[in-house]
Amino acid sequence: MKLGKSVLTLVSLMMLLWLTACGGNEASSGSEGSGEKKTIGVSISNLDEFLTYMQDAMKEEAENHQDFEFIYSDAQNDSARQMDQIENFITRNVDAIVINPVDTTAAVDIINMVNNAGIPIIVANRTFDGVEEATAYVGSESIQSGILQMEQVAELLGGEGNIAIMEGELGHEAQIKRTEGNVQIIDEHPGLEIVNQNTAKFDRSEGMRLMENWLNSGTQIDAIVANNDEMALGAILALEAAGKLDEVIVAGIDATPAALDAMKAGQLDVTVFQDAKGQGANSIIQAVKAANGEDVEDVLVPYQLVTPDKVEEYVAMYE
């Protein structure tokens, strides 16, 4: 009898402990749930110099939103990798997504997929047909940069000369629209002629190789007009090596610190400031609003022409 009573008491004690543990776990879970942070997933196409500054600006702005967790991913210029990142964000049920698309064609499918999941999506930096289906777009109008860039080159050439256009990754919105802006201004000047036009994939080393090929062809070139600063800097390296930099006007777009240094050194003649900080910060601001169920809006950040007489003003923006 004594043994049976002891067993009964032990079982009762174990049941009591189990119920207490369950109750404790439930309370803990409720406490964690009430304090959980909302999450925003960010996928950047690749971390070149400009996009690194844009992501840095995102992280700086994110510090103002301590009730949010931010997940940053680098797609490394791989569209399939970016699709995987977005699918992972959807699986994690993030509260909003910011995407700087690798491929603007694939981006349409990504937007549809995210919309179907009921998650707000902010497109940063690169626009495209179909971007209006996103929750908001934050960036600049690429054609404007190509127009500003080429207008200054035309002025420096006095409206006459042979132009070589270095294009970015073919099919990218920036490559298409910046080049379109260049051509629009060239068509307005009968004395300007495009003698070379090819892609250097937004890359400095590719820009150097392409410039070397153009120099070896023997074609007279009076100005290099590149879709971004990285390619322009590559062209400068090749022109310097050939001893021809003083004979050719070189123009880029983005006004990155490296480009501004080249301008201060008298190597780069023209660039166009694209506000990485403005684009990055506003992308996060709109994503936070969307995650909180607030109204959001497109944010267009204007381009600004940068010439040697104004270079110090733009250098200061990075300090």
Side-chain angles (χ1 to χ4, degrees):
M1 291 291 295
K2 287 182 180 179
L3 181 60
K5 186 174 182 180
S6 298
V7 170
L8 183 61
T9 301
L10 180 61
V11 170
S12 299
L13 180 61
M14 290 176 66
M15 286 293 292
L16 179 62
L17 288 170
W18 180 78
L19 288 169
T20 302
C22 288
N25 284 341
E26 191 172 317
S28 174
S29 176
S31 173
E32 286 177 9
S34 62
E36 280 181 359
K37 292 185 175 184
K38 290 183 177 179
T39 306
I40 292 176
V42 181
S43 177
I44 305 293
S45 62
N46 72 98
L47 292 177
D48 64 14
E49 187 175 21
F50 176 82
L51 293 174
T52 297
Y53 279 107
M54 187 179 77
Q55 181 174 268
D56 287 346
M58 289 179 174
K59 291 180 177 179
E60 184 177 339
E61 175 60 34
E63 291 296 318
N64 298 323
H65 308 281
Q66 293 297 315
D67 52 338
F68 277 82
E69 177 188 358
F70 295 85
I71 306 166
Y72 297 89
S73 301
D74 173 11
Q76 299 175 18
N77 253 344
D78 184 331
S79 187
R81 181 189 295 267
Q82 185 162 62
M83 180 67 80
D84 288 343
Q85 291 169 354
I86 300 300
E87 288 175 345
N88 181 51
F89 291 156
I90 292 172
T91 300
R92 293 182 65 159
N93 196 29
V94 299
D95 297 282
I97 292 172
V98 177
I99 182 173
N100 163 246
V102 171
D103 183 326
T104 52
T105 301
V108 176
D109 294 330
I110 287 174
I111 289 174
N112 289 335
M113 181 173 68
V114 174
N115 284 342
N116 289 337
I119 298 172
I121 180 166
I122 310 299
V123 176
N125 179 254
R126 293 176 178 169
T127 187
F128 47 89
D129 290 338
V131 74
E132 62 276 2
E133 298 302 320
T135 309
Y137 168 69
V138 178
S140 305
E141 293 183 299
S142 289
I143 193 169
Q144 181 192 22
S145 63
I147 289 171
L148 287 171
Q149 178 192 43
M150 196 61 228
E151 282 178 337
Q152 181 63 17
V153 171
E155 184 176 325
L156 292 173
L157 289 173
E160 294 186 355
N162 290 346
I163 310 296
I165 298 178
M166 278 193 180
E167 297 182 271
E169 196 83 39
L170 296 180
H172 282 218
E173 183 270 344
Q175 171 265 322
I176 295 168
K177 291 298 183 179
R178 291 177 182 182
T179 303
E180 185 180 319
N182 293 159
V183 172
Q184 180 179 317
I185 300 305
I186 290 169
D187 287 346
E188 294 173 5
H189 295 79
L192 297 177
E193 181 183 357
I194 299 172
V195 293
N196 284 309
Q197 184 172 343
N198 209 333
T199 181
K201 302 178 180 179
F202 292 122
D203 183 76
R204 189 180 304 194
S205 59
E206 291 285 341
M208 183 177 176
R209 279 194 286 271
L210 182 57
M211 188 71 245
E212 287 170 344
N213 291 339
W214 286 346
L215 288 169
N216 290 333
S217 74
T219 304
Q220 172 66 31
I221 297 174
D222 300 302
I224 298 296
V225 180
N227 282 171
N228 78 341
D229 286 334
E230 284 296 290
M231 294 186 293
L233 293 171
I236 286 169
L237 291 173
L239 286 164
E240 271 191 320
K244 295 191 177 233
L245 184 56
D246 291 341
E247 303 171 20
V248 182
I249 289 168
V250 183
I253 293 175
D254 286 337
T256 61
L260 296 174
D261 286 343
M263 183 170 280
K264 285 170 66 177
Q267 300 167 319
L268 183 69
D269 301 285
V270 180
T271 188
V272 181
F273 179 67
Q274 182 177 197
D275 190 351
K277 186 170 184 178
Q279 291 187 14
N282 279 293
S283 295
I284 294 301
I285 290 168
Q286 296 305 312
V288 167
K289 284 183 178 180
N292 284 332
E294 300 173 25
D295 290 338
V296 299
E297 58 187 6
D298 292 348
V299 180
L300 293 180
V301 184
Y303 284 100
Q304 301 169 43
L305 179 67
V306 183
T307 49
D309 60 313
K310 295 190 289 187
V311 67
E312 293 295 348
E313 174 187 338
Y314 289 89
V315 169
M317 291 184 179
Y318 290 98
E319 294 175 350

